[in-house]
Amino acid sequence: MIAAVSGCGTSAAQNTVASIDDLNGKKIGVQLKTTGETYASDVENAEVVRFNRGSDAAAALKKGVVDAVIIDDAPAKVFVGQNSGLHILEEPFADEEYGIAVGKNNPELLEKINDALDNLQNDGTLEQIKDAWIMGETTVTAYEGQDKTSYANGVMVMVTNAEFPPYESMAEDGSIIGIDIDIMKAVCDELDMQLEVQNTEFASVIVSVERGTADVAASGITITPERLEQVNFSKPYTQAKQVVIVRD
């Protein structure tokens, strides 16, 4: 069941979470099917409140519906910036690595993507893309590319959930933008393929690749043993942290 935040009062409850140890027995907001949900489920006596979007979890925290939110560090900074009265605990909850999900029946594509990521790492493109978005230097794109009229090796269909800034979000013109989109543009340029991005619920991104309705998934997806049972992952293209958002 997805929590709703409408109808709640506007005055936030007093903050009772000053450290990770204080999460025991608290209401913790998470985005559905994320590693934040997994971590919260392991907190002793905690009540896990699940939301379709991380931004909804942050809004619920501000209203006092939950006591804390566990989520990835980069979107946490965006949500805190959008909601006055919230801050991130200094102590990270966990360290993670993101990868590109590829179907288990497509090892050739996985190898090509890994080779492309190596090239983009060596020439500095990956760091340039990530730094531009995370440091706030760009709000549209940090990588132009994908400007050919035809591509020798066809189309790569990528599925994502555009609710996870700065990794992916919806632009005002309806296009999907962010770190993952720019990285996949660069990967596709390396492979002489045209990138097609499709938006779906986060809970569906792995399933889409597993079922073959998409070639890859890139959506700030943490590489975990459970997910590796469903799909393969590329080499990690970034390091991330799970953090805790609380009220001031």
Side-chain angles (χ1 to χ4, degrees), residues 18 26 30 45 71-72 75 87 135 166 190 219 227 230 234 236:
K26 298 298 194 300
V30 298
N45 298 320
I71 199 165
D72 302 59
H87 71 275
M135 300 302 292
E190 288 281 322
S219 193
R227 288 170 177 163
Q230 298 176 268
S234 70

Side-chain angles (χ1 to χ4, degrees), residues 24-84:
N24 292 354
K26 298 298 194 300
K27 280 187 176 182
I28 304 174
V30 298
Q31 185 176 354
L32 188 68
K33 296 295 184 181
T34 62
T35 50
E37 178 183 8
T38 303
Y39 290 129
S41 299
D42 291 336
V43 176
E44 185 177 358
N45 298 320
E47 178 182 346
V48 182
V49 185
R50 297 165 175 85
F51 300 85
N52 277 324
R53 304 186 301 177
S55 57
D56 291 340
L61 173 63
K62 183 174 181 178
K63 293 181 178 181
V65 177
V66 296
D67 301 305
V69 170
I70 298 179
I71 199 165
D72 302 59
D73 56 341
K77 293 173 184 176
V78 174
F79 298 146
V80 166
Q82 294 171 344
N83 293 275
S84 60

Side-chain angles (χ1 to χ4, degrees), residues 97-228:
E97 294 178 321
Y98 292 169
I100 300 163
V102 182
K104 286 185 175 293
N105 62 347
N106 206 345
E108 183 179 353
L109 178 61
L110 179 64
E111 182 178 358
K112 290 178 179 179
I113 289 174
N114 280 332
D115 288 344
L117 288 173
D118 283 342
N119 292 340
L120 296 168
Q121 181 68 52
N122 292 336
D123 69 13
T125 300
L126 287 185
E127 292 307 312
Q128 181 267 324
I129 290 171
K130 290 183 287 184
D131 289 348
W133 279 101
I134 291 173
M135 300 302 292
E137 297 172 2
T138 185
T139 57
V140 178
T141 185
Y143 179 87
E144 296 299 336
Q146 286 290 284
D147 53 3
K148 294 171 60 175
T149 56
S150 63
Y151 294 83
N153 295 316
V155 176
M156 182 185 295
V157 177
M158 164 190 160
V159 67
T160 193
N161 173 238
E163 299 287 349
F164 200 64
Y167 285 91
E168 38 270 320
S169 61
M170 298 296 295
E172 292 182 359
D173 64 1
S175 61
I176 304 173
I177 58 175
I179 293 172
D180 285 335
I181 286 72
D182 282 351
I183 287 176
M184 288 308 303
K185 285 181 183 177
V187 167
C188 284
D189 280 346
E190 288 281 322
L191 303 184
D192 201 6
M193 299 182 73
Q194 181 179 358
L195 179 65
E196 177 184 321
V197 183
Q198 299 178 357
N199 189 29
T200 188
E201 297 293 332
F202 186 79
S204 300
V205 294
I206 294 291
V207 175
S208 296
V209 174
E210 185 180 24
R211 293 178 178 174
T213 58
D215 298 309
V216 299
S219 193
I221 308 172
T222 303
I223 303 170
T224 67
E226 294 77 16
R227 288 170 177 163
L228 282 166

